[in-house]
Amino acid sequence: MALLIGLTACYFAEALFCNGFLAFRDLSRYFYPVRLFTVEAMKSGTIPLWNPYIFCGIPNLAFQQAAVFYPLSIVYYLLPFCLAFNVFLLIHIPLAGVFVYYLARRWGMGSSGSLVSAITFIFSGYVISLLNLPTTLSCVIWLPAVLLFFDKGLTDDKMKYILISSLFLGTMFLGGEPSIFYSTLWVLLFYALFFRLNNRQSCPLMRVGSYYSATVIFGSLLSMVHLAPFIELMRFSDRAMLLGAYSGATTWSMPVRDTFNFFIPFISRTDFSKESYWIEQSWAALVYLGVFSALLLAMTIFFKKGWRVWFLWFIGILFLFISFGGNTPFYYLIYKFVPGFKMIRYPVRFLYVTIFAAAMLCGAGFDAYIRARASQDPRLKAFSMILLPILLLSALYLLLMHTCANKLIERAFSFCVGSRLTENSSILFSIIAAIKNSARFAGFFTFGGLILFLGASRIRMRQGVVSFCFISLIVADLFTATIGDQPIVNPKIYDVPTPNVEHLKKDTGLFRFYLSPKTEEESAYIEGRTFEEAILNSKDMLTANTPMLYRFFDVGGYDSIQLMDYRKITNLLETSPSPAATRILDMLNMKYLVSKKKVEDRGYRPVEGASGYLYENTNVLPRAFLVDSFKVLKNEKDFVARFMSKEFDPAREVLLDEEPDLREKVLFMRPSRNWVIKGESPEKAEITKYSINEVVIRSTLNSPKFLVLADTWYPGWKVYVDNKRAKLYKADYILRAVYLEPGAHVVKFVFDPFSFKLGLVLSAITLIFILSYIAFARK
């Protein structure tokens, strides 16, 4: 354990001991703002069930990414946030290593083989790539722990260990990536089947089935505090739009040729250009397993037998084919007939099972080699004779690369010079990477193979020396292949003023901004001479979700899931010929538009002192406003037609999807917006409190009206008028509204979802039961 922690500290020394945070890809633009928002809310005593800053409001807990109740999130409350952000990520690395190590020991490997498995897994390119995907990382690392205690429960016939396994399984879901939880259930099922097939006499089928069911049920119940809101979200999310969309479900399928990248990093990558981002698999930056992984896997086949080895080969190959996604016809059958896969994108995410299985098999291979040495297994000599010619070829290739590599690179560069250099730069980079990494492979393989050859020959090296030298080479290989790939950024960069951010800070009112579709598309790829400059440019462009750090409200946002109705509205905005072609943006309280393209629509004026692409919308409606008439529409087409009509005025008319239940059957009048009954106070709707889970509005009305709040409608929101529960209407397809009678009122919108309360109770009861059972199991 100390060794694994020490290796992790060495690998990530800059992140741990320098003033900066890991900022690669989604870390800086998404997870940093979302986690900071969540932590600050929790420290103030508020559970952030709702996030009002993106998409006009989303259910924060249901969206999973904040990992509010994930146990290791406690580090955010014990350390300064920047340090905690790094520690949260990095603590998972040695923790995963410990779980893999003890699982390998449980399955009969020696300490050296178990250490090889642990190091190969935690420093593999795939796991290191997951650092920019904290929710996936927070789930993947619990797989060996779940398997460890599930195996112990089946073998020892003790429910206590099954409950511990379910405890880790529930923790996995709380990490925030449901697809990993889902696929782990399949891994457990396959293990239960293999266990039963190889223990028919000592383990009845009923026991295996009941223990598997108990693990799944208790793990699910334990995670209900997140699972119940998530299930509710699925009913209203755009993931339902994926049903039947095979092309969307197979985005970022792993190319079959990328299997070569397991052994030589980037050897099969053909294009590193921005245009290839969605064509080439870019979800996992690297899938490298190490130079020696192929050799160790071969040693497993040569020396190692046993049903657990066959289980690892089975799940490794199965999930490798699943990771290929749309690149093989195999995935279509799974997509078509296996429940759940239609809701999951990015098949390459399932590669974690293959990486885990391969790491375990690598350790098993080295363990078998050590045991063969100790027992003087005659097969070791045959293995040495096979290894020797491969070693000679590797050494010859290394020598060739040492003498010719520079000339090959020069020729590749000369091929791409002149006017074609920019056009062919990605090709040049691919050629250079292939040349250098193949030479690197030959070097490591030659030295590592020589150690194994000498250890197996008559030159008797001590076992400790062989293990130390070989494991040291594995560490050196994995470290040099991926270290430095995670950029570190000083958090003070967010304090550096930019024109657009400074201007929005001066506006103290409630407002939203919006990135035009073309600007948002360009902002997906931040550019700059340095990484810090790229972040500054992104910040000035108000790229989602960075503005959350300044408490700016965004009509758009960045998340893996969106509410389906809201997605349809944003699709209307994206297909509109201009911002003013519809009043939707006015209705959504959009005061500032970010557009790199010049905007000449009436009502939009450039902001003085801004960066040249910030426009103010003079027709914006307030966050809360009163409407004196309504119209009931029954279907989506009617809403779309009304939104796109020039007659639609959200300040005068609210669109409802049901007939309102009014106390007085009054015919709503259509007075002017400034109409006031003589002798009465002017009508108003003033927001006096706008917090995460609650909005309070004081209103004065001279005639019956609807109060519209330009925040997203979602089940769980309740409205109280003068402390009495009132009917909450879904207004203008995505917003909230309440009917008010004449007079002065205090209107309170409260987010109080039943799904959260139900989930919290179920999780608490299950946790108490599991801990009590474990504590008193002996009695």
Side-chain angles (χ1 to χ4, degrees):
M1 191 180 299
L3 177 61
L4 293 173
I5 293 173
L7 288 174
T8 304
C10 291
Y11 188 98
F12 296 104
E14 185 180 1
L16 286 172
F17 306 118
C18 298
N19 184 26
F21 71 95
L22 293 161
F24 187 51
R25 283 174 51 164
D26 281 355
L27 288 178
S28 62
R29 69 168 296 185
Y30 180 61
F31 286 102
Y32 190 87
V34 168
R35 296 285 170 95
L36 181 61
F37 157 73
T38 301
V39 170
E40 289 182 346
M42 292 288 283
K43 285 183 175 180
S44 68
T46 301
I47 299 176
L49 304 176
W50 189 257
N51 179 354
Y53 294 105
I54 56 176
F55 300 117
C56 294
I58 60 170
N60 187 56
L61 182 65
F63 269 55
Q64 302 289 309
Q65 309 294 346
V68 178
F69 292 100
Y70 179 61
L72 296 188
S73 292
I74 193 172
V75 300
Y76 289 121
Y77 310 102
L78 301 177
L79 300 171
F81 182 79
C82 182
L83 178 60
F85 188 77
N86 290 342
V87 170
F88 175 86
L89 294 170
L90 303 185
I91 198 174
H92 289 83
I93 303 299
L95 193 59
V98 169
F99 292 148
V100 170
Y101 179 86
Y102 280 110
L103 178 62
R105 295 288 283 167
R106 167 80 187 171
W107 286 358
M109 295 187 207
S111 56
S112 296
S114 301
L115 193 58
V116 167
S117 290
I119 291 173
T120 302
F121 182 66
I122 64 177
F123 294 113
S124 65
Y126 182 89
V127 171
I128 296 300
S129 295
L130 292 184
L131 285 171
N132 76 93
L133 297 163
T135 50
T136 308
L137 178 68
S138 300
C139 297
V140 163
I141 69 135
W142 300 104
L143 171 62
V146 172
L147 266 177
L148 172 65
F149 286 96
F150 185 65
D151 171 75
K152 197 169 176 61
L154 289 176
T155 305
D156 299 354
D157 191 16
K158 290 187 177 180
M159 178 59 74
K160 176 176 73 172
Y161 298 122
I162 293 298
L163 291 178
I164 295 175
S165 180
S166 68
L167 196 65
F168 286 120
L169 187 64
T171 302
M172 175 185 283
F173 188 90
L174 297 178
E177 184 48 76
S179 60
I180 302 299
F181 175 86
Y182 170 75
S183 51
T184 297
L185 299 185
W186 284 104
V187 174
L188 286 178
L189 177 62
F190 293 137
Y191 187 80
L193 293 175
F194 270 82
F195 189 94
R196 163 60 184 163
L197 289 173
N198 290 274
N199 297 274
R200 294 187 186 91
Q201 296 180 349
S202 60
C203 186
L205 179 62
M206 183 65 70
R207 190 176 88 194
V208 175
S210 61
Y211 278 178
Y212 174 76
S213 300
T215 305
V216 174
I217 291 170
F218 282 106
S220 300
L221 287 173
L222 188 68
S223 64
M224 271 296 169
V225 66
H226 274 188
L227 181 57
F230 178 75
I231 292 173
E232 181 181 59
L233 171 66
M234 286 297 99
R235 293 171 49 217
F236 300 94
S237 78
D238 62 348
R239 285 301 169 96
M241 298 171 67
L242 284 177
L243 293 173
Y246 183 67
S247 59
T250 54
T251 302
W252 276 344
S253 297
M254 178 177 164
V256 177
R257 66 175 184 273
D258 275 9
T259 50
F260 292 107
N261 291 336
F262 288 146
F263 317 117
I264 306 178
F266 299 118
I267 194 66
S268 73
R269 190 68 186 255
T270 59
D271 190 356
F272 293 87
S273 64
K274 181 172 72 175
E275 290 73 22
S276 73
Y277 186 74
W278 291 102
I279 300 172
E280 301 264 359
Q281 183 282 116
S282 297
W283 188 83
L286 189 61
V287 295
Y288 187 56
L289 266 171
V291 166
F292 306 108
S293 54
L295 179 60
L296 292 172
L297 291 173
M299 289 165 63
T300 304
I301 298 173
F302 203 84
F303 293 111
K304 194 76 172 178
K305 297 295 185 290
W307 67 268
R308 288 191 175 96
V309 171
W310 294 119
F311 162 73
L312 290 170
W313 277 110
F314 173 78
I315 62 170
I317 294 172
L318 173 65
F319 280 88
L320 176 62
F321 274 91
I322 292 175
S323 301
F324 290 150
N327 294 315
T328 68
F330 174 74
Y331 192 77
Y332 182 77
L333 298 175
I334 294 178
Y335 172 84
K336 197 73 175 175
F337 299 108
V338 179
F341 274 86
K342 289 186 178 181
M343 303 289 287
I344 300 172
R345 297 184 300 169
Y346 312 155
V348 71
R349 74 172 74 238
F350 295 117
L351 195 63
Y352 80 98
V353 179
T354 300
I355 299 297
F356 162 75
M360 292 292 293
L361 288 170
C362 286
F366 188 68
D367 181 70
Y369 169 84
I370 294 295
R371 293 178 187 274
R373 283 185 78 252
S375 62
Q376 297 184 356
D377 192 324
R379 291 176 298 174
L380 197 59
K381 184 177 180 180
F383 174 77
S384 301
M385 292 301 101
I386 297 173
L387 180 62
L388 182 59
I390 299 174
L391 273 177
L392 292 175
L393 289 174
S394 177
L396 286 173
Y397 184 77
L398 179 62
L399 181 63
L400 179 66
M401 285 291 100
H402 181 71
T403 56
C404 300
N406 290 333
K407 291 181 179 179
L408 291 173
I409 292 172
E410 286 176 8
R411 290 198 174 188
F413 186 80
S414 64
F415 173 77
C416 300
V417 294
S419 59
R420 296 183 300 170
L421 180 59
T422 303
E423 178 185 345
N424 298 322
S425 59
S426 62
I427 298 175
L428 174 64
F429 188 57
S430 300
I431 294 172
I432 294 174
I435 292 171
K436 292 198 170 187
N437 283 316
S438 62
R440 177 185 176 280
F441 172 88
F444 273 105
F445 189 87
T446 300
F447 286 102
L450 184 61
I451 290 171
L452 295 181
F453 177 78
L454 293 176
S457 65
R458 293 182 179 179
I459 304 173
R460 303 301 295 173
M461 298 172 63
R462 294 182 62 182
Q463 178 179 320
V465 174
V466 173
S467 297
F468 177 80
C469 293
F470 191 73
I471 292 174
S472 297
L473 273 179
I474 291 176
V475 171
D477 168 32
L478 293 172
F479 272 41
T480 55
T482 57
I483 199 166
D485 288 349
Q486 300 290 333
I488 310 296
V489 172
N490 192 318
K492 292 183 179 179
I493 197 170
Y494 288 116
D495 298 328
V496 176
T498 65
N500 289 342
V501 170
E502 288 302 301
H503 181 84
L504 264 61
K505 279 184 176 180
K506 295 176 183 177
D507 193 329
T508 57
L510 273 175
F511 64 87
R512 290 192 175 97
F513 70 91
Y514 177 65
L515 271 69
S516 70
K518 184 66 175 176
T519 306
E520 183 179 14
E521 181 182 339
E522 292 182 8
S523 72
Y525 311 94
I526 61 175
E527 298 178 352
R529 290 172 297 179
T530 64
F531 196 78
E532 288 78 5
E533 183 180 286
I535 288 182
L536 282 174
N537 294 337
S538 175
K539 183 177 77 167
D540 191 53
M541 198 187 295
L542 303 179
T543 301
N545 290 331
T546 304
M548 281 183 60
L549 296 170
Y550 311 105
R551 298 298 179 256
F552 296 157
F553 297 89
D554 192 354
V555 170
Y558 178 54
D559 210 302
S560 59
I561 300 177
Q562 289 188 38
L563 297 177
M564 184 160 54
D565 288 348
Y566 196 87
R567 175 74 173 268
K568 293 175 181 177
I569 293 297
T570 56
N571 287 343
L572 287 181
L573 294 173
E574 291 169 3
T575 54
S576 296
S578 65
T582 171
R583 294 292 306 278
I584 293 176
L585 287 174
D586 303 339
M587 176 184 78
L588 297 179
N589 188 225
M590 194 282 296
K591 188 175 182 180
Y592 296 100
L593 173 70
V594 184
S595 175
K596 284 192 169 183
K597 182 181 178 181
K598 188 175 182 180
V599 176
E600 297 180 344
D601 290 22
R602 180 179 298 178
Y604 287 84
R605 63 188 184 193
V607 174
E608 295 183 7
S611 298
Y613 46 81
L614 187 66
Y615 296 85
E616 183 176 350
N617 176 18
T618 58
N619 295 322
V620 61
L621 292 178
R623 187 68 57 91
F625 54 93
L626 299 168
V627 179
D628 49 42
S629 67
F630 68 89
K631 189 177 184 67
V632 178
L633 303 177
K634 294 298 183 181
N635 57 63
E636 181 183 326
K637 291 183 178 179
D638 292 339
F639 276 99
V640 172
R642 191 63 180 172
F643 282 137
M644 304 310 293
S645 170
K646 293 183 179 180
E647 297 178 0
F648 174 60
D649 183 359
R652 303 286 299 274
E653 174 186 70
V654 60
L655 306 179
L656 305 176
D657 61 358
E658 61 178 317
E659 196 71 34
D661 181 19
L662 308 182
R663 293 184 182 180
E664 300 178 6
K665 297 295 183 180
V666 297
L667 178 63
F668 273 32
M669 302 175 63
R670 285 182 172 272
S672 65
R673 293 175 64 178
N674 297 321
W675 178 77
V676 179
I677 296 178
K678 186 176 180 180
E680 298 194 16
S681 303
E683 295 185 315
K684 65 177 181 179
E686 179 186 3
I687 295 178
T688 58
K689 180 182 180 181
Y690 196 90
S691 60
I692 295 172
N693 302 326
E694 183 180 85
V695 180
V696 179
I697 304 171
R698 291 188 177 274
S699 62
T700 303
L701 296 86
N702 298 330
S703 61
K705 286 181 171 59
F706 277 95
L707 170 65
V708 178
L709 178 62
D711 284 352
T712 310
W713 178 93
Y714 188 77
W717 277 102
K718 301 173 182 177
V719 63
Y720 299 86
V721 178
D722 301 327
N723 293 323
K724 294 181 180 179
R725 181 80 178 270
K727 167 78 173 177
L728 180 68
Y729 291 95
K730 189 177 182 182
D732 296 325
Y733 200 68
I734 54 172
L735 305 181
R736 307 174 216 150
V738 61
Y739 168 73
L740 298 178
E741 295 184 338
H745 302 285
V746 176
V747 181
K748 183 185 295 185
F749 293 87
V750 179
F751 190 52
D752 184 27
F754 175 74
S755 60
F756 166 67
K757 292 186 287 188
L758 174 65
L760 184 63
V761 170
L762 290 175
S763 292
I765 292 174
T766 305
L767 180 61
I768 292 171
F769 172 78
I770 290 175
L771 295 179
S772 300
Y773 189 97
I774 293 171
F776 297 102
R778 185 174 298 176
K779 294 182 180 180

